[in-house]
């Protein structure tokens, strides 16, 4: 099982170590540093690094490497999933997950890590339960603790842990009972030069924020559940009910959680909400190239496309660019060769456009690679797959909750080749 | 106020200051001090000097302070064992606390204190906690057993904790079950033979119930444990699969992959005609695709596993090609894996898309990725014949880009395409030649030179091209030098008149001015060939080359099957079995996929036993050995095998040269002499052997020997027809087929060696790896004359059983190495067990009865022999020919009972009871033996003998 955890910042300092079994010398991280050096970029460090006596599994999040040390054959996904859970927990506890915050809260971090694993076995990883065991620091609590001498460690057995609904704490009470559901879809796509779709798929999630008193039992039904043929559920969802009736029936955890994530595959026709027209030419002989891109809406069901951001990694041979946008701001970094254009909203009557010239290194032939354009955008009130919630009902409690459902479509990895 | 204040140090001794604070009377100050100590500890500072002071703070009602002190204890107890004893009392007291949280915390912490002296004191509290009324305490205690086992395995066994842990598998609380399974799995990993997780249908049912209710992590442990179970038939496998499938929709990717493992493994047992089989295949695809939208690290592990899955069952993902398309900002490790899988999924249906993608990738920034993409195009051409033309034109387009490394990679793969489709795409050679100057990598240069040499007759200026390379001959790498030498010789053989000078030059460069022995030898060989017999030279150098196979980098099927059992583990990431890399895996058990068994079949065959748990008791005659292959690879083939030759002295005398291997078969009275005769199977003594039945390829003399062989079967046991053991394709033209026989107490291996290569073979030698019964050659392999192309030689190799012994799996596996002048080849074969039945295997009646009673009943194995319409007497006499002796015959209720005995070369007795129902072609065979693992092979021997 998981032996130890090292947290390493981007400059290569080990700033926290935690051992769940015997102590593993931090010199084991030297193998990690070697791999890091070879990988040139932090994102490219291989996730599994073998050393003569141990295996190092790492994830890179928020500019911190979380390096887990294992000694025996342990499922690597188990370790990586756990590391993700650690990151999420830190974020949940401290709002952000950064070196500074971790150092500021080192004792809480240590206590939390101790509760999450026992001898390398996961113990309590649900944030509901962890928060009952160890209260997250708040300014108020810190002040109160200092004055009264009380502690932020709970002295009750986390009640949920042993009930049939281990994800929900008992005795929840709210004055305003509310349940919000966000249907968020990210569209991943590769569009080729000519504008046709090579592959497109949708990663959707339904995130919930449920603040309901007592033990509510919810059901959520969809207008078109047939869209959901590839789904992963939160453990609270009753799988049998879904299999037979295509209805989500569950007792929710308290607070924020991901109810379900789904995947609409490339085989179903995926609507592409925007298009990019581009004309980029590196002329062979002269030292000037032409550059023009236009972004426009395509299948948006009448909704506005906003938060549009275009980025592109230009080839090394591009020295500088002189461009004029019809709207928004643009920057080009001549060192990293990164072009970014913050477009904002797309007005269908007046399409945003960025046009100008590139100065190329004189004397060299045209670059080997073509730049890829990366697109970000947001569309409110639209789930591009067409998924729609039909109704939400509550059983088991008497009060009338306030319910809300929001839809949003975002660009995931949306790439246009040139 | 943040914790960072704990890191600030005053210049005066920090430790000293902390000590004072720890001993302060104020609770608050104490706690702050402990916090400072912990903070220092987390960043790796040594604060062990404060041990007594911190331990003094342990007796407190403040839970946070207690927890902090516990944290400290876990870290430093090891370095201060004597001091740590001070903490024991508190632990024992806390284990009795009314608050289950404190009880659990105490039992959890004390397991983490890795001090021998302390562990002894902890047994009693642990025992109590394992039976605690609160499941939270029980589940914590279950993990504690694993901790304790890690510290002192003997203690855990002596105290009976393992049994208590096994009982917890039936606990009412799913969390406790999951932790018990996890703890047992961890303990089992260090004790592969302990048989801890003894799974049976009842316990499986409990696990499946717990699976639905426990935490995600518990689900992983339970699924991994289920994967080790071997269902008794396809119905059970299907019902387990049905209950595991919902896990595919879990949000935790590790749960998903573990479920995939269980399904992939049990699917092996399901019949492909079953509707459910198809449903299951369909259900597997979506979760695998979903894994690919996760974070890159998860993607990487998933991709490595998918790589195995598409090799085993390509149909699962054949329609999902697009999800493997590479995004430009994927990390490089994800890109390379995706590319690999794309090629594996490439087929005629999707090749156009794949090629378009690969071409796109070839213009990316990352050099490694671009290279691999170009290579992938070549692999597509070789894999999908219909696409070859399109691939070649894509490669030509890429060559036109003139990007240096792209051109070089393209040339390397075009060489392979030429090998696969000779005489089809030579029109592109001109384009290739244009880029000659830009090649600076050895592999690309060698490939280009090979192409020029191979097609020298179509390239007008081939001599000039090669000459230009020759100028810098000594600066080239060996690879290029060798290629250049061969290419020029080829050129000379094709255009002798103009290139005489060139060939002279390269031969002298290679033989006189080079220090490289390979190069020098190859030079001399060519020189000798050219000067003595140019026709022969032509036949050798310009010989037609075998086509290259479709996919070169497939994982070997047996390894693949083993790796499928390890889906989701490190082994699957490295594509190596755990025994190859996991440290401290004492005698890792090789896992294998379950055999396909119908529910109607007898479930008693040893194969159905869980493979994860080998028989607990090994008989002393067969020592277990973890390393099965290693020995064979280290074999030294030079000296002949020592050991007393059995009745073969004459073979070793020079005088028999005349008769070659033939005499050998006379002496050994080889009955399976030729395939045609072997086909007749068991040769009855009275059978008249027509001399023309099967003229052996070795010539007329053979007939005589065959005849003699026929006569010689008088007392011989059954001999199976020869089968091909080593196909020519795998052994550079050497084909070996053979069988085993036993005649008058002597075992021999009858071999048929055929040279299917174009060169003469000589210097044969043979060696066996250590095996279960110590089989070893009793004499060297006697092949006197070199084996000319297309010639076949028949040889009988006498064997003895005095070689070294190592248990093999299967038991009758024999790994053989054969050497000749070309190379060393390895193959493995299964020998029928009846060659090991000795002649004095008849037991006295009294003895038989006593022994039968003496052998415990669990050693008895029952088998069915079907479709064997023989009478009891015929059976008896037939078996006697193979040294299975009938001790007694009885008739009970109209059934004939034969009591038989046999003895193996290593002295193991096997007792048998054969029940024959007159008129029914099915017999029931019960075998009893002190080493029950041989039973199955004895049964196989029975089958073979009776059915031939």
């Amino acid at each position: 099982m998981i032996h130890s955890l090292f947290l390493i910042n981007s400059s290569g300092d080990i700033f926290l170590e935690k051992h769940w079994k015997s102590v593993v010398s931090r010199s084991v991280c030297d193998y990690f540093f070697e791999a890091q050096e070879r990988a040139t970029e932090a994102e490219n460090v291989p996730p599994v690094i073998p050393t003569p006596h141990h295996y190092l599994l790492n994830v890179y999040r928020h500019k911190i490497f979380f390096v887990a040390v294992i000694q025996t054959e342990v499922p690597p996904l188990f370790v990586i999933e756990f590391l993700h859970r650690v990151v999420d927990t830190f974020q949940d506890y401290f709002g952000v997950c950064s070196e500074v915050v971790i150092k500021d809260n080192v004792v809480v971090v240590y206590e939390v890590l101790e509760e999450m694993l026992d001898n390398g076995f996961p113990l309590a990883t649900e944030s509901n339960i962890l928060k009952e065991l160890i209260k997250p620091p708040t300014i108020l609590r810190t002040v109160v603790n200092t004055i009264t001498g009380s502690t932020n460690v709970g002295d009750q057995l986390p009640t949920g842990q042993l009930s049939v609904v281990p994800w929900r704490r008992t005795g929840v009470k709210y004055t305003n009972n509310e349940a919000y559901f966000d249907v968020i879809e990210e569209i991943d796509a590769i569009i080729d030069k000519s504008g046709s779709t090579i592959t497109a798929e949708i990663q959707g999630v339904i995130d919930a924020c449920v603040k309901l008193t007592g033990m509510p039992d919810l059901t959520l039904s969809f207008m078109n559940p047939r869209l959901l043929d590839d789904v992963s559920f939160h453990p609270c969802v009753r799988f049998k009910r879904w299999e037979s009736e295509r209805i989500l029936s569950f007792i929710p955890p308290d607070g924020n959680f991901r109810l379900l994530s789904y995947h609409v595959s490339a085989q179903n026709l995926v609507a592409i909400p925007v298009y990019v027209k581009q004309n980029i030419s590196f002329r062979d002989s002269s030292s000037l190239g032409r550059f023009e891109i236009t972004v426009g809406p395509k299948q948006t069901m009448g909704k506005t496309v906003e938060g549009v951001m275009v980025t592109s990694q230009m080839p090394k041979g591009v020295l500088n660019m002189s461009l004029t946008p019809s709207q928004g701001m643009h920057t080009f970094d001549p060192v990293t060769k990164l072009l970014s254009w913050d477009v904002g909203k797309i007005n269908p009557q007046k399409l945003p456009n960025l046009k100008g010239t590139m100065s190329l290194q004189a004397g060299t032939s045209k670059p080997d690679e073509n730049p890829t354009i990366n697109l970000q955008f947001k569309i409110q009130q639209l789930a591009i797959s067409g998924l729609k919630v039909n109704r939400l009902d509550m059983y088991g409690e008497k009060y009338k909750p306030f319910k809300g459902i929001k839809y949003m479509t975002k660009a995931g990895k949306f790439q246009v080749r040139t | 106020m943040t914790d960072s204040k704990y890191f600030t140090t005053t210049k005066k001794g920090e430790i000293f200051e902390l000590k004072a604070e720890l001993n302060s009377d104020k609770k608050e100050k104490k706690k702050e001090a402990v916090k400072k100590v912990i903070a220092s500890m987390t960043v790796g500072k040594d604060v062990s000097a404060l041990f007594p002071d911190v331990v003094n703070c342990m007796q407190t009602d403040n839970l946070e302070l207690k927890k902090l002190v516990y944290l400290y204890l876990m870290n430093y107890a090891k370095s201060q064992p004597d001091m740590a004893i001070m903490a024991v009392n508190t632990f024992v007291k806390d284990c009795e606390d009314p608050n289950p949280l404190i009880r659990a915390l105490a039992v959890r912490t004390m397991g983490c204190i890795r001090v021998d002296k302390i562990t002894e004191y902890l047994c009693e509290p642990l025992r109590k906690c394992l039976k605690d009324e609160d499941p939270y305490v029980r589940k914590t205690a279950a993990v504690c057993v694993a901790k304790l086992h890690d510290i002192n395995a003997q203690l855990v066994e002596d105290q009976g904790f393992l049994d208590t842990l096994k009982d917890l598998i039936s606990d009412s609380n799913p969390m406790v079950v999951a932790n018990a399974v996890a703890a047992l799995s961890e303990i089992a990993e260090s004790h592969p033979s302990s048989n801890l997780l003894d799974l049976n249908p009842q316990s499986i049912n409990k696990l499946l119930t717990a699976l639905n209710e426990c935490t995600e992590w518990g689900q992983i442990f339970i699924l991994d444990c289920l994967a080790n179970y071997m269902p008794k038939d396809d119905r059970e496998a299907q019902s387990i699969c049905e209950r595991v499938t919902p896990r595919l929709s879990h949000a935790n990717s590790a749960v998903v992959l573990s479920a995939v493992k269980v399904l992939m493994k049990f699917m092996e047992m399901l019949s492909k005609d079953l509707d459910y089989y198809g449903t299951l295949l369909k259900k597997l695809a979506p979760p695998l695709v979903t894994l690919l939208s996760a974070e890159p690290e998860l993607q990487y592990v998933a991709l490595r596993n998918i790589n195995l899955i598409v090799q085993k069952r390509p149909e699962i993902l054949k329609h999902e090609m697009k999800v493997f398309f590479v995004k430009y900002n994927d990390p490089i490790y994800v890109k390379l894996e995706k590319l690999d899988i794309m090629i594996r999924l490439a087929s005629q249906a999707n090749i156009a898309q794949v090629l378009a993608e690969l071409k796109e990738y070839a213009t990316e920034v990352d050099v490694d990725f671009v290279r691999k993409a170009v290579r992938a195009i070549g692999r597509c051409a070789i894999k999908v014949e219909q696409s070859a033309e399109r691939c070649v034109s894509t490669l030509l387009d890429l060559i036109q880009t003139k990007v240096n490394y792209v051109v070089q990679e393209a040339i390397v793969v075009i060489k392979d395409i030429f090998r696969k489709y000779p005489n089809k795409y030579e029109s592109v050679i001109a384009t290739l030649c244009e880029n000659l100057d830009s090649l600076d990598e050895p592999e690309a240069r060698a490939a280009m030179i090979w192409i020029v040499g191979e097609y020298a007759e179509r390239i007008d200026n081939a001599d000039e091209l090669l000459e230009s390379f020759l100028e810098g001959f000594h600066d080239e790498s060996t690879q290029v030098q060798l290629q250049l030498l061969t290419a020029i010789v080829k050129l000379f053989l094709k255009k002798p008149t103009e290139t005489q000078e060139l060939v002279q030059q390269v031969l002298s460069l290679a033989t006189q001015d080079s220090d490289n022995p390979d190069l020098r030898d190859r030079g001399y060989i060519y020189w000798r060939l050219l000067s003595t017999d140019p026709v022969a030279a032509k036949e050798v150098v310009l010989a037609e080359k075998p086509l290259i196979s479709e996919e070169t980098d497939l994982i070997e099927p047996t390894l693949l099957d083993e790796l499928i059992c390890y889906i989701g583990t490190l082994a699957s990431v490295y594509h190596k079995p755990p025994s190859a890399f996991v440290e401290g895996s004492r005698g890792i058990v090789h896992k294998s996929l379950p055999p396909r068994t119908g529910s109607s079949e007898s479930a008693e065959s040893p194969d159905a036993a869980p493979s994860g748990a080998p028989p607990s008791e090994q008989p002393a005659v067969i020592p277990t050995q973890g390393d099965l292959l290693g020995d064979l690879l280290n074999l030294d083939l030079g000296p002949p095998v020592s050991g007393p030759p059995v009745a073969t002295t004459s073979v070793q005398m020079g005088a028999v040269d005349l008769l070659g291997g033939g005499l050998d078969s006379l002496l050994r009275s080889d009955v399976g002499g030729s395939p045609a005769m072997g086909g007749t199977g068991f040769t009855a003594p009275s059978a008249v052997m027509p001399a023309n039945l099967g003229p052996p390829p070795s010539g007329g003399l053979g007939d005589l020997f065959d005849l003699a062989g026929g006569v010689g079967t008088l007392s011989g046991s059954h001999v199976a027809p020869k089968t091909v053991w080593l196909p020519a394709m795998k052994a550079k033209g050497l084909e070996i087929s053979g069988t085993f026989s036993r005649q008058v107490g002597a075992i021999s291996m009858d071999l048929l060696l055929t040279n299917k290569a174009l060169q003469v073979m000589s210097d044969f030698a043979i060696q066996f790896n250590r095996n279960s019964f110590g089989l070893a050659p009793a004499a060297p392999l006697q092949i006197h004359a070199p084996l000319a192309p297309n010639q076949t030689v028949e040889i009988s190799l006498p064997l003895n059983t005095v070689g070294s012994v190592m248990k093999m799996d299967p038991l009758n596996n024999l790994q053989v190495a054969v050497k000749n002048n070309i190379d060393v080849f390895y193959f493995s074969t299964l020998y029928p067990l009846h060659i090991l039945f000795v002649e004095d295997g008849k037991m006295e009646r009294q003895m038989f009865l006593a022994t039968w009673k003496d052998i415990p009943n669990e050693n008895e194995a029952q088998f069915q022999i079907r479709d064997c319409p023989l009478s009891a007497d015929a059976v008896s006499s037939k078996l006697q020919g193979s040294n299975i002796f009938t001790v007694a015959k009885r008739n009970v209720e109209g059934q004939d009972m034969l009591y038989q005995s046999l003895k193996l070369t290593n002295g193991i007795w096997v007792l048998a009871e054969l029940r024959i129902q007159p008129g029914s072609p099915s017999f029931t065979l019960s075998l009893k033996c002190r080493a029950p693992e041989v039973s199955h092979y004895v049964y196989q021997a029975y089958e073979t003998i009776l059915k031939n």
Side-chain angles (χ1 to χ4, degrees), chain B residues 369-384:
Chain B
F369 181 58
V370 170
R371 283 173 181 274
K372 193 153 179 181
V374 176
R375 274 194 193 220
I377 297 176
R379 274 168 70 185
C380 284
I382 290 166
K383 191 175 173 199
V384 186

Side-chain angles (χ1 to χ4, degrees), chain B residues 259-560:
Chain B
V260 168
K261 163 162 63 184
V262 174
L263 296 176
M264 281 294 285
K265 202 173 163 187
F266 290 178
M267 217 164 150
E268 197 68 15
M269 296 183 71
L270 302 178
S271 152
K272 288 196 174 170
D273 316 326
L274 227 57
D275 286 345
Y276 182 68
Y277 181 85
T279 326
L280 201 53
L281 275 185
K282 270 193 215 114
K283 280 193 176 161
L284 276 170
L288 290 174
V289 170
T290 305
L291 288 180
L292 295 181
S293 49
E295 285 83 353
E297 306 89 20
L298 297 173
Q299 272 189 55
Y300 171 74
V301 177
L303 284 166
R304 291 294 283 173
N305 281 287
I306 288 173
N307 201 329
L308 295 173
I309 292 168
V310 296
Q311 285 186 61
K312 180 75 188 161
R313 297 193 184 279
E315 62 270 31
I316 294 178
L317 288 169
K318 67 179 172 206
H319 298 303
E320 303 288 349
M321 174 60 97
K322 282 186 173 175
V323 299
F324 298 103
F325 285 179
V326 172
K327 309 227 164 60
Y328 87 101
N329 46 4
D330 281 336
I332 181 74
Y333 54 82
V334 168
K335 282 184 178 176
L336 295 176
E337 285 307 315
K338 279 188 173 174
L339 198 54
D340 215 40
I341 294 170
M342 277 173 70
I343 302 161
R344 294 202 195 286
L345 288 176
S347 66
Q348 204 184 336
N350 55 25
I351 194 74
Q353 267 180 332
V354 174
L355 272 181
E357 277 296 300
L358 291 175
K359 199 173 167 187
E360 196 67 46
Y361 303 159
T363 61
E364 280 225 22
V365 193
D366 192 294
V367 178
D368 282 343
F369 181 58
V370 170
R371 283 173 181 274
K372 193 153 179 181
V374 176
R375 274 194 193 220
I377 297 176
R379 274 168 70 185
C380 284
I382 290 166
K383 191 175 173 199
V384 186
E385 188 163 355
Q386 295 82 355
S387 75
E389 195 155 347
R390 217 173 328 175
C391 293
V392 171
S393 73
T394 309
L395 287 170
L396 282 180
D397 288 352
L398 289 173
I399 290 177
Q400 299 302 351
T401 63
K402 306 273 180 197
V403 179
N404 189 288
Y405 51 85
V406 174
V407 173
Q408 310 213 37
E409 286 297 326
I411 286 180
V412 171
V413 293
I414 286 181
K415 181 201 77 174
D416 288 339
I417 295 176
F418 281 171
R419 284 290 304 278
K420 171 80 182 179
Y421 310 108
N423 304 320
K424 218 166 158 191
Y425 299 110
E426 281 67 26
S427 50
V428 308
I429 292 176
T431 324
L432 301 186
C433 290
E434 287 165 20
N435 292 288
L436 216 57
D437 302 331
S438 62
L439 308 179
D440 54 8
E441 288 162 25
E443 204 183 353
R445 285 172 83 86
M448 190 64 220
I449 293 169
W450 182 86
I451 293 171
V452 174
E454 192 65 18
Y455 297 101
E457 67 274 27
R458 311 198 192 175
I459 305 172
D460 294 335
N461 59 345
D463 48 344
E464 284 169 34
L465 292 177
L466 292 175
E467 201 170 355
S468 68
F469 280 106
L470 205 55
E471 280 162 19
F473 188 78
H474 288 298
D475 302 329
E476 300 284 2
S477 73
T478 314
Q479 191 184 9
V480 180
Q481 289 176 333
L482 287 168
Q483 231 18 282
L484 194 52
L485 172 63
T486 307
I488 292 178
V489 172
K490 281 181 189 163
L491 175 68
F492 171 70
L493 289 167
K494 288 173 179 172
K495 298 179 182 172
T497 44
E498 310 115 72
T499 57
Q500 210 151 8
E501 206 174 306
L502 194 62
V503 82
Q504 288 281 1
Q505 204 183 338
V506 75
L507 286 174
S508 82
L509 276 172
T511 53
Q512 284 158 22
D513 303 338
S514 170
D515 296 334
N516 184 325
D518 284 345
L519 186 63
R520 207 170 49 212
D521 288 356
R522 197 188 283 194
Y524 276 126
I525 290 168
Y526 283 146
W527 204 328
R528 191 69 50 88
L529 264 175
L530 291 174
S531 58
T532 48
D533 189 354
V535 181
K538 216 166 188 165
E539 269 173 30
V540 172
V541 179
L542 300 180
E544 204 159 300
K545 276 161 276 301
L547 295 181
I548 55 173
S549 62
E550 278 199 356
E551 276 180 271
T552 41
D553 59 340
L554 282 180
I555 297 176
E556 192 220 334
T558 48
L559 178 60
L560 180 64

Side-chain angles (χ1 to χ4, degrees), chain A residues 1 15-18 21-23 26 43-50 52-53 55 58-61 70 72-78 80-82 84-85 103-108 110-111 114-115 117-119 121-123 125-126 133 142 146 149-158 161-162 166 188 190 198-199 201 203 230-233 235 239 263 266-267 368-370 372 374 413 415 417-418, chain B residues 1-4 6-7 28 31 35 38-39 41-44 62-64 67-68 71 74-75 99-101 108 114 134-136 139-140 143 146-147 173 175 182-183 186 189 216-217 220-221 224 246 249-254 257 286-287 289-290 293 295 297-298 300-301 319-320 322-323 325-333 357 360-361 363-365 403 568-571 573-574 578 581-583:
Chain A
M1 297 293 122
F15 65 91
L16 188 106
E17 58 182 292
K18 167 83 187 118
K21 290 182 162 191
S22 52
V23 176
R26 53 165 66 191
E43 285 80 10
N44 285 341
V45 177
V48 186
I49 301 165
H53 301 286
Y55 294 88
N58 70 85
V59 301
Y60 182 66
R61 293 286 179 281
I70 59 174
T72 47
E73 175 68 270
V74 178
L77 280 186
F78 157 80
I80 296 172
E81 280 278 0
F82 177 78
H84 286 159
R85 214 55 64 87
K103 274 189 174 166
D104 279 354
N105 295 287
V106 70
V107 175
V108 175
Y110 220 64
E111 285 169 342
E114 183 60 31
E115 289 302 334
L117 278 191
D118 175 21
N119 195 37
F121 296 104
L123 198 61
T125 50
E126 288 283 337
L133 283 168
T142 323
T146 340
S150 67
T151 87
N152 60 344
V153 174
D155 55 1
Q156 279 302 306
L157 183 65
Q161 195 141 355
L162 294 166
D188 287 354
I190 304 178
I198 292 179
T199 166
E201 48 189 351
Q203 317 289 349
D230 181 4
V231 279
S232 325
F233 297 117
F239 191 73
H263 177 250
Q267 277 155 42
D368 304 336
E369 74 267 7
N370 298 321
T372 302
N374 216 8
K413 289 182 171 173
Q415 308 185 345
R417 291 177 180 161
T418 61
Chain B
M1 248 189 30
T2 67
D3 293 351
S4 56
Y6 303 128
F7 292 106
E28 199 44 40
K31 201 171 86 186
K35 278 193 176 181
I38 300 284
M41 188 176 88
T42 55
V43 289
N62 184 315
L63 194 60
E64 187 181 20
K67 275 192 175 182
L68 290 171
L71 276 177
M74 287 183 225
N75 229 14
N99 184 345
L101 193 59
R108 210 175 107 196
R114 310 176 61 86
D134 196 307
Y136 184 72
K139 85 172 195 167
T140 315
V143 175
K147 294 179 194 171
N173 186 296
M175 247 72 98
E186 193 177 70
E189 202 170 323
E216 49 196 318
W217 314 109
I220 301 170
F221 299 131
D224 285 347
S249 302
H250 203 285
N252 185 320
S253 60
L257 204 56
V289 170
T290 305
S293 49
E295 285 83 353
E297 306 89 20
L298 297 173
Y300 171 74
V301 177
H319 298 303
E320 303 288 349
K322 282 186 173 175
V323 299
F325 285 179
V326 172
K327 309 227 164 60
Y328 87 101
N329 46 4
D330 281 336
I332 181 74
Y333 54 82
E357 277 296 300
E360 196 67 46
Y361 303 159
T363 61
E364 280 225 22
V365 193
V403 179
T569 66
L570 281 172
V573 173
Y574 286 109
F581 65 92
V582 172
E583 195 189 329

Side-chain angles (χ1 to χ4, degrees), chain A residues 118-407:
Chain A
D118 175 21
N119 195 37
F121 296 104
L123 198 61
T125 50
E126 288 283 337
S127 92
N128 262 264
I129 292 166
L130 276 173
K131 283 188 176 163
E132 261 182 88
L133 283 168
I134 295 153
K135 306 238 164 51
T138 59
I139 294 169
L140 181 67
R141 189 168 298 124
T142 323
V143 174
V144 170
N145 285 357
T146 340
I147 297 165
T148 63
S150 67
T151 87
N152 60 344
V153 174
D155 55 1
Q156 279 302 306
L157 183 65
T159 40
Q161 195 141 355
L162 294 166
S163 70
V164 268
V165 279
W167 53 85
R168 188 176 175 85
R169 58 194 181 99
T170 45
V172 186
K173 264 210 177 105
Y174 288 101
T175 39
N176 295 326
N177 287 298
E178 21 183 46
Y180 297 108
F181 291 87
D182 291 353
V183 179
I184 302 167
E185 298 195 335
E186 287 194 1
I187 174 162
D188 287 354
I190 304 178
I191 313 287
D192 77 358
K193 250 188 258 260
S194 61
S196 51
T197 311
I198 292 179
T199 166
E201 48 189 351
I202 296 170
Q203 317 289 349
V205 294
I206 300 184
D207 281 343
C209 175
V210 177
K211 294 182 171 170
L212 297 173
T213 306
M215 271 286 167
D217 197 331
L218 304 179
T219 59
L220 187 72
S221 63
F222 298 96
M223 308 275 264
N224 38 10
R226 227 178 303 158
L227 271 171
L228 302 175
D229 63 342
D230 181 4
V231 279
S232 325
F233 297 117
H234 188 276
C236 68
V237 176
R238 297 182 178 99
F239 191 73
K240 283 249 166 64
R241 187 91 188 268
W242 171 256
E243 285 270 91
S244 55
E245 300 169 53
R246 299 273 139 178
I247 285 175
L248 292 180
S249 154
F250 56 97
I251 295 172
D254 185 43
N256 292 310
F257 66 100
R258 177 156 295 173
L259 178 64
L260 124 132
S261 54
Y262 58 94
H263 177 250
V264 180
S265 73
Q267 277 155 42
N268 298 359
L269 205 60
V270 174
I272 305 288
V274 291
Y275 70 87
V276 175
K277 251 202 310 210
Q278 37 82 15
N279 183 7
I280 302 172
S281 67
F282 303 95
R283 261 164 298 169
D284 255 332
S285 50
S286 97
S287 59
L288 274 185
R290 260 189 308 154
F291 184 96
E292 178 175 4
I293 46 178
T294 309
V295 189
K298 217 169 159 186
Q299 290 153 297
T300 61
M301 328 287 164
K303 302 280 193 307
T304 321
V305 183
E306 47 186 33
V308 180
M309 174 92 174
V310 176
T311 49
S312 180
Q313 181 72 49
M314 301 308 286
K316 280 194 209 76
V318 178
L319 292 178
N320 213 336
M321 304 181 82
S322 102
L323 304 169
T324 8
S326 67
Q327 69 179 82
M329 292 276 290
H330 85 282
T331 52
F332 175 72
D333 182 342
V335 181
T336 58
K337 314 287 182 203
L338 192 72
L339 169 73
S340 64
W341 174 30
D342 191 349
V343 184
K345 263 185 204 164
I346 297 182
N347 176 1
Q349 269 72 54
K350 189 172 168 289
L351 295 179
N353 165 282
L354 180 70
K355 191 173 171 181
T357 55
M358 302 178 277
S359 51
L360 305 170
Q361 202 153 13
T364 52
S365 56
K366 97 189 217 316
D368 304 336
E369 74 267 7
N370 298 321
T372 302
I373 297 167
N374 216 8
L375 215 61
Q376 282 165 40
F377 56 81
K378 258 195 281 193
I379 307 169
Q380 302 283 3
Q381 294 311 319
L382 172 73
I384 195 82
S385 70
L387 187 74
K388 257 201 145 64
V389 172
N390 187 20
R391 52 183 298 139
L392 175 72
D393 297 300
M394 186 181 75
Y395 304 92
E397 295 288 338
K398 297 218 157 51
Y399 55 86
K400 236 184 149 38
F402 184 79
K403 302 177 277 193
I405 288 166
K406 221 168 69 183
Y407 297 92

